[in-house]
């Protein structure tokens, strides 16, 4: 027994024990325990609490290994199994810590978050706190720092929440989001640090104003800032429409402040029936007005102007008699030749569909990028009227997903397009336009580009003119329409990453959205090639060279290396969207966290 206290050169004592150093964060106190490698983690914590002899609830505390950046949560594991030796320094610290969250509406909230949970689970708990359904659509990211600005105190930062500064307020495409499969502590997040809560995956499932008042409001706020900060492109007419909706929402919000609860319930009752079919789902939601029993697939047939843009060409649009059957457009020189062989045909499966509309100029164009063996063929369609445009645009969007006009979402898509166009109309009768008042602040309603282009009075007049088209909407309906219009923009939901494709010599863009991958020109942003997730067999990552490889059912595989972010970020976006596409409607309460983890971590 006399030899027990003799310490050997390796730090161990003669009896086989050694000193384990721990720091108790609550007490700012270092403690050492004599242990062996065979003691389990639970036993270590029990001995530590006994030695502290402080009456306190220690149930939320756990051990954190600083050097390895890992929580020792498997209390039945021994120190040997974890690989902990005498040189290790452990923290005995609470798992739940305070986090300062900036919500999509730019407000800061203090919440207690489990720093030992995976971020996916932590976000789920945060959303329960705020009563936000479908937390799988959101995630956390760090607040970008502006190196030109001096550091501010926390209370001073809160005063600048609504300051219109893009990099400090809203995440742009391709930021390094928090890894959903790792904990906050593993990613060096500190207590009281500011993190941004945002909708990461632009696939909004079962958005219902009756149950999702908070979710709708936060989505509206994220959409509003994305447009104001020019994170997504929109035309001048669209900008004025968004400004009019925002102005209308602001007015109604102020009016309903005094009797918020009663008004909110009344609003939901009033628009519940009108919005029951307005599910903000990009794939098209089920509606009560389904097409019923369909014995034949609907078709379109009309004169449409067609243009094939090529370099060094002066030729314009040429009119054809076009028929749209299934997912194929056939072009004939005239209606009389429609029973013969078409001049050419276009299969729209997997194509990119982009609107090119100018209401005041009566321009209703549809730009199609159609996949071919060596890239994409560009075809433009020009319609004569809004009604014709809405039907052909809706059919093109469905065909790009492999769906026909027999799909139940076709009529809803047509109505949504017509509604979107109607909101952009300018009111020609000045007697119905409100007089310009001091409650219009163009700086808060339009992006900086238009503030530079026009005077404030001009912008205010146009906003009031556009407001006539939305003035009868209730608060919740206006927010839903704003979200829907945001989703209708060509660049909606595309997250961009700089990448070098296998075989390529220069950096290009890879765009990832809810249902496809897009290879894009880094300078112009034009789509070069599109791959649908529905045609994907599998994807994997070579973690040594950081290369992402995606295999498809009937075309060559795709391989690329990310230039600015870790390939894990791209991998998580692909896996996340695959996970969201398989959601069932009964998953409102419980999420298959393990499946999400497997898909985004490379297990599958």
């Amino acid at each position: 027994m006399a030899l027990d206290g003799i310490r050997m050169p390796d730090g161990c004592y003669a009896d086989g024990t050694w000193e384990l150093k721990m720091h108790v964060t609550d007490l700012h106190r270092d403690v050492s325990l004599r242990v062996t490698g065979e003691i389990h983690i639970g036993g270590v914590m029990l001995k530590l609490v006994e030695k502290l002899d402080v009456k306190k609830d220690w149930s939320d505390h756990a051990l954190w290994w600083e050097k390895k950046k890992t929580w020792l949560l498997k209390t039945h594991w021994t120190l040997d199994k974890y690989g902990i030796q005498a040189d290790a320094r452990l923290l005995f610290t609470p798992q739940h810590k305070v986090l300062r969250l900036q919500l999509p509406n730019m407000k800061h909230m203090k919440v207690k978050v489990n720093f030992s949970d995976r971020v996916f689970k932590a976000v789920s708990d945060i959303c329960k706190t705020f009563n936000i359904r479908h937390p799988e659509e959101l995630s956390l990211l760090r607040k970008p720092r502006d190196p030109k600005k001096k550091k501010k105190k926390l209370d001073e930062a809160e005063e600048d929440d609504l300051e219109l500064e893009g990099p400090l307020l809203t995440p742009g495409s391709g930021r390094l989001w928090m890894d959903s499969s790792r904990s906050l502590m593993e990613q060096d997040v500190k207590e009281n640090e500011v993190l941004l809560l945002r909708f990461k995956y632009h696939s909004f499932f079962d958005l219902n104003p009756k149950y999702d008042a908070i979710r709708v409001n936060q989505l509206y706020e994220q959409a509003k800032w994305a447009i104001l900060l020019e994170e997504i492109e929109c035309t001048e007419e669209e900008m004025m429409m968004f400004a009019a909706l925002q102005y209308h929402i602001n007015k109604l919000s102020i009016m309903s402040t005094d009797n918020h609860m009663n008004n909110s319930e009344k609003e939901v009752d009033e628009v519940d029936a009108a919005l029951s079919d307005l599910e903000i789902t990009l794939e098209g939601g089920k509606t009560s007005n389904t097409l019923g029993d369909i014995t034949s697939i609907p078709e379109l047939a009309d004169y449409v102007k067609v243009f094939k843009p090529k370099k060094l060409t002066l030729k314009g649009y040429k009119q054809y008699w076009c028929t749209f059957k299934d997912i194929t457009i056939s072009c004939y020189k005239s209606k009389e030749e429609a029973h013969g062989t078409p001049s050419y045909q276009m299969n729209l499966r997997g194509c990119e569909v982009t609107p090119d509309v100018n209401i005041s100029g009566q321009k209703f164009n549809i730009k199609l990028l159609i996949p071919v063996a060596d890239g994409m063929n560009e075809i433009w369609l020009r319609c004569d009227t809004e009604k014709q445009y809405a039907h052909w645009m809706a059919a093109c969007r469905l065909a790009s997903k492999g769906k026909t006009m027999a799909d139940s979402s076709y009529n809803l898509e047509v109505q949504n397009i017509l509604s979107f166009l109607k909101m952009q109309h300018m009111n020609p009768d000045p007697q119905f336009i409100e007089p310009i008042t001091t409650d219009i602040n163009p700086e808060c309603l339009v992006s900086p580009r238009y503030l530079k282009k026009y005077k404030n009075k001009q912008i205010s007049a146009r906003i009031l003119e556009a407001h006539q088209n939305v003035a009868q909407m209730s608060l919740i309906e206006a927010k839903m329409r704003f979200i829907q219009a945001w989703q209708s923009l060509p660049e909606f939901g595309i997250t961009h990453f700089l990448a070098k494709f296998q075989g390529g010599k220069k950096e290009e863009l890879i765009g990832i959205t809810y249902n496809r991958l897009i290879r894009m020109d880094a300078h112009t942003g034009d789509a070069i090639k599109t791959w649908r997730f529905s045609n994907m067999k599998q994807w994997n990552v070579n973690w040594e060279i950081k290369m992402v490889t995606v295999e498809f059912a009937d075309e060559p595989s795709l391989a690329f290396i990310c230039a600015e972010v870790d390939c894990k970020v791209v991998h998580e976006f692909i896996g996340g969207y695959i996970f969201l596409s398989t959601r069932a409607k009964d998953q409102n309460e419980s999420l298959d966290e393990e499946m999400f983890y497997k898909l985004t971590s490379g297990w599958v």
Side-chain angles (χ1 to χ4, degrees), residues 414-476:
V414 172
Q415 293 305 315
N416 286 344
I417 293 170
L418 287 172
S419 175
F420 185 54
L421 295 176
K422 184 180 178 181
M423 287 192 293
Q424 298 178 56
H425 278 277
M426 296 292 107
N427 194 326
D429 194 341
Q431 66 176 332
F432 293 107
I433 300 176
E434 304 171 56
I436 297 177
T437 59
T438 56
D439 65 339
I440 290 189
N441 185 358
E443 294 181 358
C444 297
L445 300 176
V446 299
S447 67
R449 179 192 309 176
Y450 298 104
L451 293 173
K452 294 176 182 177
K453 187 175 181 181
Y454 298 105
K455 295 180 179 179
N456 280 6
K457 284 188 177 180
Q458 293 174 305
I459 297 174
S460 298
R462 292 192 62 181
I463 291 173
L464 287 175
E465 196 174 348
H467 181 243
Q468 301 308 303
N469 297 315
V470 301
Q472 303 306 313
M473 292 183 183
S474 67
L475 180 58
I476 192 73

Side-chain angles (χ1 to χ4, degrees), residues 56-74:
K56 179 180 174 67
D57 182 5
W58 299 100
S59 60
D60 186 49
H61 284 59
L63 291 173
W64 166 256
W65 191 359
E66 278 188 314
K67 186 177 180 180
K68 298 292 186 180
K69 290 186 179 180
T70 185
W71 286 95
L72 310 180
L73 299 178
K74 296 177 180 177

Side-chain angles (χ1 to χ4, degrees), residues 498-510:
L498 272 176
K500 186 170 285 187
F501 289 82
Q502 192 172 40
K505 295 181 179 179
K506 59 181 181 179
E507 287 185 348
E508 299 176 72
L509 284 177
I510 182 77

Side-chain angles (χ1 to χ4, degrees), residues 3-14 18-19 21 86:
L3 296 177
D4 289 351
I6 297 177
R7 199 168 186 177
M8 311 300 287
D10 61 358
C12 294
Y13 290 90
W18 43 272
E19 286 190 355
K21 298 180 181 66

Side-chain angles (χ1 to χ4, degrees), residues 133-134 137 205-207 212-219:
R133 293 198 308 153
H134 299 292
E137 298 168 0
F205 182 71
D206 188 30
L207 193 61
D212 291 318
I214 296 173
R215 184 172 169 224
V216 167
N217 183 60
Q218 295 300 331
L219 257 177

Side-chain angles (χ1 to χ4, degrees), residues 320-321 330-334 336-345:
Y320 288 90
W321 177 260
S330 301
C331 302
Y332 304 88
K333 292 182 179 179
S334 66
E336 291 70 30
E337 298 181 16
H339 296 291
T341 304
S343 298
Y344 57 92
Q345 288 184 313

Side-chain angles (χ1 to χ4, degrees), residues 393-559:
M393 186 64 174
C396 287
R397 284 179 175 171
L398 263 66
S400 71
K401 305 168 189 173
K403 298 180 179 180
T404 71
M405 286 172 276
D407 191 88
S408 61
S409 63
Y410 174 67
N411 284 340
L412 177 63
E413 186 70 30
V414 172
Q415 293 305 315
N416 286 344
I417 293 170
L418 287 172
S419 175
F420 185 54
L421 295 176
K422 184 180 178 181
M423 287 192 293
Q424 298 178 56
H425 278 277
M426 296 292 107
N427 194 326
D429 194 341
Q431 66 176 332
F432 293 107
I433 300 176
E434 304 171 56
I436 297 177
T437 59
T438 56
D439 65 339
I440 290 189
N441 185 358
E443 294 181 358
C444 297
L445 300 176
V446 299
S447 67
R449 179 192 309 176
Y450 298 104
L451 293 173
K452 294 176 182 177
K453 187 175 181 181
Y454 298 105
K455 295 180 179 179
N456 280 6
K457 284 188 177 180
Q458 293 174 305
I459 297 174
S460 298
R462 292 192 62 181
I463 291 173
L464 287 175
E465 196 174 348
H467 181 243
Q468 301 308 303
N469 297 315
V470 301
Q472 303 306 313
M473 292 183 183
S474 67
L475 180 58
I476 192 73
E477 185 182 8
K479 289 179 180 178
M480 292 284 281
R481 290 293 177 184
F482 194 103
I483 295 168
Q484 185 188 30
W486 176 44
Q487 288 182 293
S488 299
L489 297 177
E491 294 182 4
F492 167 78
I494 302 177
T495 303
H496 303 90
F497 300 95
L498 272 176
K500 186 170 285 187
F501 289 82
Q502 192 172 40
K505 295 181 179 179
K506 59 181 181 179
E507 287 185 348
E508 299 176 72
L509 284 177
I510 182 77
I512 304 178
T513 184
Y514 76 103
N515 64 351
R516 65 197 189 280
L517 295 170
I518 313 166
R519 184 174 185 173
M520 310 170 79
D521 186 286
H523 299 289
T524 64
D526 294 336
I528 300 172
K529 179 76 174 175
T530 297
W531 298 268
R532 296 269 164 179
F533 288 150
S534 57
N535 196 35
M536 185 170 67
K537 288 172 60 179
Q538 65 177 10
W539 81 101
N540 57 71
V541 176
N542 183 326
W543 299 106
E544 291 184 7
I545 61 172
K546 305 295 185 182
M547 177 174 282
V548 180
T549 303
V550 189
E551 296 181 21
F552 300 92
D554 53 7
E555 52 187 323
S557 61
L558 164 70

